[in-house]
Amino acid sequence: MRNPGITIIGAGFGGLCMAIKLKEAGYHDFVILEKADDIGGTWRDNTYPGCACDVPSPLYSFSFELNTEWSRLFAPQQEIWDYMRHCVRKYGLAPHIRFGTEVTALEYADDRALWHVTTAGGERFTTHAVVLGMGPLHIPSYPEIPGRERFTGPAFHSARWDHSCDLTGKRVAVIGTGASAAQFVPEIAPRVGRLYVFQRTAPWVQPRPDIRLDEIRKYLRLPGAARALRYVIYWFLEARGAGFAIHPRLMKTQERIAARHLARQVPDPELRAKLTPGYTIGCKRIVLSNDYYPALTRENVELITDGITEIRERSIVDATGREHEVDVIIYGTGFKVTDALSDFTLIGRNGLKIQDAWRDGMHAYLGITTAGFPNLFFLLGPNTGLGHTSVVFMIECQVRYIMDCLRLLSRTKAKALDVRPEVERRFTERLQRRLSRRVWNQGGCRSWYLDANGNNPTIWPGFTFEYWAWTRRMRPEAFELIGAARA
Ligand code: NAP
């Protein structure tokens, strides 16, 4: 490969947004490396039945590319994927994308202020800047349950759905009851013979106000209407996010809505008790669903809360010693998030490995840059995940910020910029102080938001307009300019 000026890794929402903004700025010397054979990221990988966005689509899309064609407020996966393809076509991104190209190593050359990129295919080339748009939820996490490898029937993860496996009439086990399982359980329950849902922790579930948008499409096409709807949704979700951003006490209303939903949908007190969470709502992602609870009340569905001790050739054994014979196992067990880069070769200045830089947990200034790794930018990096609204908003803030960084390089003729360690440290300390008082840390649950040390390196603790304000203008003094002709 010819040495591109900028290398973007990943063709999901993040990578595509970066590419669009580069092109808009008249910069064409970039490549998007995508390990799969299609664009879409999480919206390509997750094809399980019932997969849909749990954030309203008018907001879960680019602000500069409003879509009036959503069929529903919470669009299904296929529509979101189609929207992303539309963006690729409209903004002419296809010539920049290299499919089937997995990056295995990124190594910074101090003498030349360049990055060496190595791919799984053995290619090696240099680039001035790297944008990591791999997304935080792309490596499936499988539970470490004794005997898991011994199971002889089909077994797959929700993000690697095996569509060749016909579930009709089968005895199926679902392990995990997070946002993904809550979407596919109602879809498969009527089809399977028997469904065993293994729940370790009950999720909080709220009603999903999934109104049809196709019926009001002609109004949405009126000038300004789609933008107005986006604003209304944005501010509504920000207001609802007060319990996340200000104090867990403000979660009480949210909890009441969920408790009422449970009481209304699950009349059986025993089942209801099993489904009642023992932590503050919001500590784990809130599930939005109108059909998850009803699916669990079906005759052919059993909720098992006793924990799994062993998986055998054709069965799962729970903590009471009961053996459940099953034909298929589906893992709805989420993703590797806080240790996503643990196996990746990422070496910055003076041979600094990311694993050493992040020995005490992931961190990055504004979630975008980390000291010792010049011209390396994260999209949806550390502490930019959200519990209450759309991460596409965060991506747009980050891309605007990265564009400002690139403009600074061009203006100063510097070769690279590296965030000053003390700036990053102050930012991280402030963020962690705020997080320590928020629901993810204080809500009494254990989730993938927290790392092995109990730190929270995943979530943005405030309103998203605060993040917008933080990233609106880059501060050149926060960075060391490497090889600058003038500052
Ligand atoms: P998840 O929220 O991490 O849930 C994983 C589930 O697996 C949890 O119920 C967890 O139990 C369970 N689990 C993990 N290890 C287990 C073990 N060893 N034994 C038993 N149970 C185990 O994963 P997810 O549902 O795939 O969702 C991941 C994220 O994807 C969500 O938080 C959300 O951000 C995103 N998502 C978004 C949408 C959308 O519409 N935008 C839809 C789906 C997912 P514990 O709770 O006890 O750990």
Side-chain angles (χ1 to χ4, degrees), residues 48 52-54 137 143 176-180 200-201 284-285 332-334 448:
Y48 59 76
C53 191
D54 62 3
L137 301 171
T177 54
S180 301
R200 188 166 66 179
T201 313
K284 286 170 183 281
R285 191 173 182 87
T333 42
W448 59 260

Side-chain angles (χ1 to χ4, degrees), residues 171 212 273 278 382 412 439:
R171 295 166 300 179
R212 290 183 63 161
T412 59
V439 68

Side-chain angles (χ1 to χ4, degrees), residues 280-358:
T280 309
I281 195 169
C283 185
K284 286 170 183 281
R285 191 173 182 87
I286 302 171
V287 169
L288 298 185
S289 176
N290 301 331
D291 50 9
Y292 178 60
Y293 286 149
L296 297 180
T297 64
R298 289 176 61 93
E299 276 291 308
N300 67 333
V301 179
E302 188 178 343
L303 182 74
I304 298 159
T305 54
D306 296 311
I308 301 171
T309 50
E310 188 188 350
I311 295 179
R312 297 186 181 153
E313 283 77 3
R314 310 285 314 170
S315 64
I316 296 182
V317 183
D318 71 27
T320 65
R322 251 178 87 201
E323 186 171 0
H324 308 269
E325 292 218 353
V326 294
D327 305 307
V328 182
I329 299 179
I330 304 173
Y331 294 101
T333 42
F335 301 87
K336 286 187 176 185
V337 181
T338 54
D339 53 353
L341 283 181
S342 58
D343 297 328
F344 190 73
T345 303
L346 175 53
I347 302 174
R349 288 174 96 171
N350 305 313
L352 178 64
K353 292 188 178 130
I354 194 74
Q355 290 82 357
D356 291 329
W358 286 358

